[in-house]
Structure formats: structure tokens, C-alpha cells
Amino acid sequence: MELRGKQKRFLRSEAHHLQPIFQVGKGGLNDAMITQIGEALEKRELIKVSLLQNTDEIAEDVAAELEAALHCDIVQIIGRVLVVFKPSSKEKYQKISSRVRSI
């Protein structure tokens, strides 16, 4: 599902107060981290991932890699912080995605 402008705006406002739960450091983005991000998205639907100063990764590359691996949407990239959204497959976690669908 491709996000429309209004939906992205809503998700950005929802993500504003969130703290990044994942940090991509010197080791870069690895399979274990991608798996963990996928599990976190399943429960939360909307998370932030930050890139630490000591990483060689570029935010746009990390975004592309996550989108390819997890089929998620990158809502926004601000500097070294990515806002990632993926609707949960379990109904009990679909708090945000149900509101996004109604927009």
C-alpha cells in the first residue's frame, strides 16, 4: 500500500514524540538488526531508527535496504533519523494502521 500525502503527514505527527529504538552504529545494518526492526514494526507499526555518528551508512541507503527487506514504508528522513511504518499483520496491534486507512 502506497502512502498518500495526508497519511504520511499523520504518521509524521504520530512519530514526532517517539524516541529512536534502533541505532545503526559502526557495524552498519545487519540481518539480525533487520529482523529485530521487523519484529518491532509488527508490534508498534511506527518506529524511529537513528544512525549514529560513527556509522558509514547513509540514511537513504538504510531506508532503501529496510524497504526492500521488510516491505515497509519510510515516512520521513530527517538528517540521520528514519521514521519507518509498516502495518501490523496482527489485528490487536493495528492501532495506527487502522487510523491511517481511514484517512
Side-chain angles (χ1 to χ4, degrees), residues 18-24 33 36-37 39-41 43-50 81-82 84:
L18 295 177
Q19 292 297 318
I21 22 179
F22 288 100
Q23 296 178 325
V24 179
M33 186 177 250
Q36 288 178 321
I37 291 172
E39 289 167 3
L41 280 169
K43 287 201 172 68
R44 298 174 184 228
E45 295 190 314
L46 189 66
I47 62 169
K48 281 185 177 176
V49 178
S50 69
V81 177
L82 287 72
V84 186

Side-chain angles (χ1 to χ4, degrees), residues 22-36:
F22 288 100
Q23 296 178 325
V24 179
K26 206 163 68 177
L29 195 65
N30 56 29
D31 292 341
M33 186 177 250
I34 290 173
T35 305
Q36 288 178 321

